[in-house]
Amino acid sequence: MNAPVAPKSARVDGRRQRSERTRQAIMDAYIALLRERPQIPTAAQIAVRAGVSTRSIFERFDDLQTLSLATVDYAFAIGESQVVARNVDGDRQTRLRSHVETRARTCEQWLPLWRVVVNNASRLDELDVRIRIVREVVSRRIELMYAPELGSVDADKRRDLLVALEILTDFESWGRMREVNGLSFEEACRVWVDTIDRLLPATPRDGHGS
Amino acid sequence: MAVPLQPATPTVARTDGRRLRSERTRQAIIEAYLALAEERSPHAPTAAEIAGRAGCSVRSIFERFSDILALQVAATDHAMNEIVALAQTHGRDGDRLTRITAQVGMRARTCERWLRLWRSLIVNQGQSDELKQRVLQSRQRAVARLDMMLVPELSTLDDREHRQLLIVLEALTDVESWGRMREFFGLSFDEACELWVQAIDRLLPSSRPIL
């Protein structure tokens, strides 16, 4: 007796699912290679790491540039899902620690990819757009986490504080603390918490003060 | 009648002349590299482009530099020497605000002048230990200067706090931080300086009384 034949739509869905898994494996391989060596990997290197053929890559991506952009978007989506704002209504110290730990984990995980994106932004306008989006997201998070303190100062002062905090909690600032100055993850977090605490104005009495 | 012989140029003088011309060509190559690296930042110029700008042959470049990396290193040293030569220490004995303002003004002018070249250096340092060393030295110099200008405040801290505050101040006044204030956040030169002054003042502890 013949085995039951899967309906056509189920077969198509299965193929699509496998293809999507391969696509993800290719982008995961790309990110893994960047973490090992901060240079855009070749298609052959990505194929070996992903366990697929080079042809498989170019069946899913028009060229290496398209793959690079797709990988950046994929990484940003993962990154964004990891940085859910917590303790927004906590007291000052709780918000400081929560913000810094989340930001530090992002920097720790994504610094190698960030460096490649920044170094290649002048070659590809789309990368420049993504850098701007990430920086805007970082600034918005700072605004959200320190709303009570930032809301207590005038617009110019608020803008200056936001700029200073964005600069100080930049990926490269984290990278230098860890790589050049040899601080541990916890020590580097402590530096950021102390620094932000010193820069922020006093928390208003009705603004989740410590 | 015998034609009188021209007085022969002494060998030493001929050698000195050649050496001088060669040195001038070397200098022209370095300056051409720096000008092109700045214009095309962060892309590094090719040997042909550098030769075209310097008015010499590509061969002339490689007679003086073993490869493009050696030229990059020499050009970086040239730029860094210029930065050091221009660094002033005026204001170091002033009051807190005078010292912070002097430090910020000096750093801001350096960043404004060298931002594009710095980016080119960062992007093109690649796997070169020599270029990485230059980046590190430049940062160490920036830290040493902060340490010198802010002695009355930093000396009140214990070693750990002192070190951590220097790390923060270096990050705040990094060349790329300046670039972001100017390009991404759209601050004017004066606004960016004012931001640095305010932030440094807020981060520093009270000043030690000057005896």
Side-chain angles (χ1 to χ4, degrees):
Chain A
M1 200 176 123
N2 289 336
V5 177
K8 196 177 171 190
S9 64
R11 284 203 308 270
V12 173
D13 280 355
R15 270 207 302 274
R16 196 171 293 153
Q17 247 170 33
R18 279 194 299 280
S19 179
E20 187 49 40
R21 274 201 299 271
T22 305
R23 188 180 150 86
Q24 248 179 50
I26 292 167
M27 294 188 287
D28 285 333
Y30 190 119
I31 293 170
L33 288 165
L34 280 184
R35 289 209 170 104
E36 288 167 17
R37 193 160 175 264
Q39 278 176 357
I40 293 177
T42 64
Q45 289 169 327
I46 299 165
V48 170
R49 178 61 65 99
V52 300
S53 65
T54 305
R55 188 178 148 192
S56 274
I57 293 179
F58 294 113
E59 277 168 0
R60 285 159 186 85
F61 303 96
D62 290 342
D63 50 33
L64 207 52
Q65 189 167 306
T66 313
L67 167 58
S68 299
L69 279 176
T71 305
V72 168
D73 288 339
Y74 172 68
F76 286 174
I78 298 173
E80 233 182 330
S81 71
Q82 292 168 335
V83 295
V84 178
R86 291 188 181 86
N87 309 113
V88 176
D89 298 320
D91 63 30
R92 181 179 174 115
Q93 284 304 315
T94 305
R95 284 181 286 118
L96 275 166
R97 279 197 303 273
S98 176
H99 169 240
V100 162
E101 279 166 20
T102 305
R103 180 76 189 130
R105 278 197 299 274
T106 303
C107 291
E108 190 81 1
Q109 187 175 359
W110 297 108
L111 178 60
L113 178 65
W114 180 255
R115 280 187 176 145
V116 172
V117 170
V118 168
N119 287 350
N120 290 282
S122 61
R123 292 187 181 89
L124 204 55
D125 286 344
E126 287 94 333
L127 287 180
D128 207 36
V129 171
R130 272 123 179 118
I131 291 172
R132 285 189 167 269
I133 291 170
V134 170
R135 292 209 161 118
E136 276 158 17
V137 168
V138 169
S139 289
R140 279 205 300 274
R141 175 56 58 88
I142 293 170
E143 273 184 296
L144 175 71
M145 294 306 288
Y146 306 116
E149 291 79 15
L150 294 169
S152 72
V153 292
D154 66 38
D156 284 351
K157 180 94 182 146
R158 182 186 167 90
R159 178 205 62 187
D160 285 0
L161 273 169
L162 267 175
V163 173
L165 293 175
E166 196 274 336
I167 285 172
L168 284 166
T169 54
D170 177 59
F171 281 96
E172 275 307 332
S173 162
W174 179 261
R176 283 217 293 289
M177 287 199 291
R178 300 278 284 132
E179 297 165 359
V180 179
N181 297 296
L183 302 192
S184 69
F185 184 92
E186 288 73 21
E187 284 171 331
C189 283
R190 191 72 243 161
V191 170
W192 270 1
V193 167
D194 290 349
T195 303
I196 299 172
D197 196 23
R198 277 205 296 271
L199 280 174
L200 286 175
T203 309
R205 282 186 185 280
D206 57 351
H208 320 301
S210 56
Chain B
M1 202 175 104
V3 179
L5 291 171
Q6 292 283 324
T9 313
T11 313
V12 176
R14 279 205 309 272
T15 308
D16 280 354
R18 270 207 301 275
R19 197 170 294 155
L20 220 64
R21 278 195 299 280
S22 179
E23 187 46 44
R24 273 204 296 269
T25 305
R26 187 178 193 278
Q27 196 61 25
I29 292 167
I30 287 176
E31 278 163 16
Y33 175 87
L34 289 172
L36 286 165
E38 192 175 348
E39 282 169 28
R40 294 174 194 187
S41 171
H43 306 294
T46 64
E49 289 168 337
I50 299 163
R53 179 66 63 97
C56 68
S57 65
V58 171
R59 190 179 149 188
S60 278
I61 295 178
F62 294 112
E63 278 168 0
R64 286 160 184 85
F65 302 95
S66 54
D67 51 26
I68 285 288
L69 178 61
L71 169 56
Q72 277 181 310
V73 171
T76 304
D77 286 343
H78 179 85
M80 287 184 175
N81 287 338
E82 199 175 308
I83 292 170
V84 172
L86 290 173
Q88 298 154 356
T89 55
H90 72 83
R92 66 181 287 193
D93 298 320
D95 61 23
R96 178 183 176 111
L97 191 60
T98 304
R99 283 180 289 105
I100 295 176
T101 307
Q103 166 63 17
V104 163
M106 185 70 231
R107 184 72 182 147
R109 283 191 298 276
T110 304
C111 292
E112 189 81 0
R113 168 74 185 84
W114 296 105
L115 172 63
R116 292 177 65 79
L117 204 63
W118 178 257
R119 280 189 180 143
S120 177
L121 174 63
I122 295 293
V123 170
N124 297 302
Q125 61 183 321
Q127 301 303 310
S128 163
D129 287 338
E130 281 181 292
L131 288 178
K132 282 183 180 154
Q133 193 58 32
R134 266 56 177 190
V135 170
L136 191 64
Q137 281 168 358
S138 169
R139 293 208 159 113
Q140 284 168 342
R141 268 201 288 269
V143 169
R145 193 181 155 84
L146 282 163
D147 211 6
M148 178 189 72
M149 293 297 285
L150 306 172
V151 168
E153 292 76 28
L154 295 171
S155 61
T156 66
L157 302 172
D158 66 33
D159 286 351
R160 188 186 63 85
E161 291 170 330
H162 183 164
R163 177 167 169 256
Q164 290 192 352
L165 189 48
L166 277 176
I167 290 172
V168 171
L169 293 175
E170 194 269 332
L172 178 70
T173 57
D174 178 60
V175 184
E176 201 41 68
S177 302
W178 179 261
R180 271 228 297 299
M181 288 198 293
R182 300 277 283 130
E183 297 167 355
F184 182 72
F185 292 104
L187 303 191
S188 69
F189 183 93
D190 291 340
E191 285 172 333
C193 283
E194 185 56 27
L195 187 154
W196 268 358
V197 169
Q198 295 294 329
I200 294 172
D201 188 37
R202 208 164 170 93
L203 288 169
L204 287 175
S206 303
S207 313
R208 172 172 48 80
I210 299 169
L211 299 174

